[in-house]
Amino acid sequence: MASEFALIRRHFTRPARHTDLAVGDDAALIRPGPGMQLAISTDMLVSGTHFVPEADPEALGWKTLAVNVSDLAAMGAAPRWVVLAASLPAPDEAWIAAFARGFFACCEAFGIDAIGGDTTRGPLNLCPTIFGEVPTGQAITRSAGKAGDDLWVSGQPGRAALGLAQLLEGLPLHPDYAAACLDALHRPQPRVALGLALRGIASAMLDVSDGLFGDLGHILEASGVGAEIELAALPLTPLMAACGDADRAFRACTRGGDDYELLFSAPPGQRAPLAALARQLDLPLHRIGQLSAAPGLHLRAPDGTLRPAETRGYDHFGT
């Protein structure tokens, strides 16, 4: 049976690109570029809570890092370094090798150096900490949204929720859409290029991990504003085509999580640049409403009527 250190050398030691000292010492040494701030985030994935125990290890390796990369994208930061702490029930080398393939595929996709971490025996628990760089003063936070700003969301929120429903409930999905929904769940695509391009454009931003409306609530609270969402502007048509159920499509889009799309606000004067950016990145950007001075979240129906909505998202300790 391979030792802990042999497993680390074999599967988690790779050449570094922008690191002074990486894996193999008591600590890594990194040096942010001149005029840069470090952006740091950690996001734990626990078996039975964030993924099923029988999850494909290669896909899990990708997702373990991707959800952390998404946090930096949401700040307009470029990912640079990651450390990984993991508890494993057993030193299953085939499982570890597959996990490492997925993890380092994500490292390669986004130019990240894996510079250390720790392993121990225990329940399956994966906890990366990611470090990135952003020019000083240019990080996009949740707290600078202004009443009158447009609200935008990238890509297709809701696909991962439908994929999860198929996996756990047997929800039938149209064959033309099922694979995309499962890919969204298992291999989310962090919107790093979009996050970097939104510096100087977006006023507030975060990534959608716990549901569109729930995560919007964090922007509203931090910025001290409310919001009006145009029901007709929500990207529901592909979700309807996938599941054939209007209510399910609405809930997947607004309450489902795990898509890791970017939700952001921007002044109305940025509409043309954002349309050009969507074309440049080949990524849909949906203008779904506006921030408002009136507190709370309200939904505007096509006939113009308003009704209040909850900004409650997924809560690990909720009931």
Side-chain angles (χ1 to χ4, degrees):
M1 180 183 297
S3 70
E4 171 189 2
F5 303 106
L7 289 171
I8 291 171
R9 283 193 301 271
R10 190 172 303 147
H11 299 293
F12 293 98
T13 303
R14 307 287 174 97
R17 287 156 286 207
H18 29 251
T19 303
D20 293 338
L21 181 64
V23 177
D25 222 300
D26 289 303
L29 299 176
I30 61 175
R31 189 184 330 189
M36 292 289 188
Q37 289 178 297
L38 282 177
I40 305 168
S41 181
T42 189
D43 210 341
M44 184 186 305
L45 276 73
V46 178
S47 178
T49 299
H50 301 98
F51 59 91
V52 295
E54 61 273 17
D56 173 68
E58 188 167 346
L60 182 60
W62 173 280
K63 185 170 183 176
T64 295
L65 182 53
V67 302
N68 284 264
V69 175
S70 182
D71 284 331
L72 295 194
M75 300 288 290
R80 291 285 183 259
W81 306 277
V82 66
V83 297
L84 174 65
S87 65
L88 305 170
D92 179 341
E93 190 146 3
W95 190 97
I96 293 169
F99 176 88
R101 281 197 303 273
F103 188 85
F104 281 101
C106 195
C107 284
E108 288 297 319
F110 296 101
I112 299 167
D113 286 350
I115 58 172
D118 190 28
T119 58
T120 189
R121 185 184 294 272
L124 184 54
N125 182 357
L126 307 159
C127 187
T129 299
I130 193 165
F131 303 78
E133 294 179 311
V134 61
T136 300
Q138 292 188 34
I140 307 169
T141 68
R142 304 175 179 186
S143 60
K146 301 288 191 298
D149 284 354
D150 291 328
L151 272 173
W152 299 78
V153 68
S154 67
Q156 182 55 69
R159 290 187 305 178
L162 293 184
L164 184 63
Q166 184 188 67
L167 194 66
L168 297 183
E169 305 168 25
L171 176 71
L173 296 178
H174 192 285
D176 289 347
Y177 296 89
C181 291
L182 290 171
D183 281 347
L185 176 65
H186 295 310
R187 295 180 181 270
Q189 300 298 313
R191 303 303 188 185
V192 173
L194 175 60
L196 298 180
L198 287 174
R199 294 177 190 161
I201 294 177
S203 52
M205 184 160 66
L206 47 61
D207 67 333
V208 180
S209 57
D210 296 326
L212 180 63
F213 284 1
D215 286 321
L216 174 57
H218 300 312
I219 289 180
L220 304 189
E221 180 179 8
S223 295
V225 293
E228 291 185 7
I229 298 293
E230 302 283 345
L231 286 174
L234 290 171
L236 300 180
T237 301
L239 303 178
M240 265 289 298
C243 70
D245 181 327
D247 184 60
R248 171 79 76 163
F250 177 78
R251 284 186 284 115
C253 182
T254 61
R255 304 291 181 194
D258 248 12
D259 285 295
Y260 301 96
E261 297 291 355
L262 295 184
L263 172 65
F264 61 95
S265 58
Q270 297 291 352
R271 290 178 186 176
L274 285 168
L277 181 59
R279 292 191 296 271
Q280 175 189 331
L281 297 179
D282 192 24
L283 176 66
L285 298 178
H286 308 281
R287 181 162 53 89
I288 60 171
Q290 283 191 318
L291 298 182
S292 64
L297 172 62
H298 292 82
L299 307 183
R300 186 176 295 278
D303 64 5
T305 57
L306 280 176
R307 62 179 173 88
E310 289 186 346
T311 55
R312 180 171 54 85
Y314 180 78
D315 182 344
H316 288 287
F317 299 100
T319 55

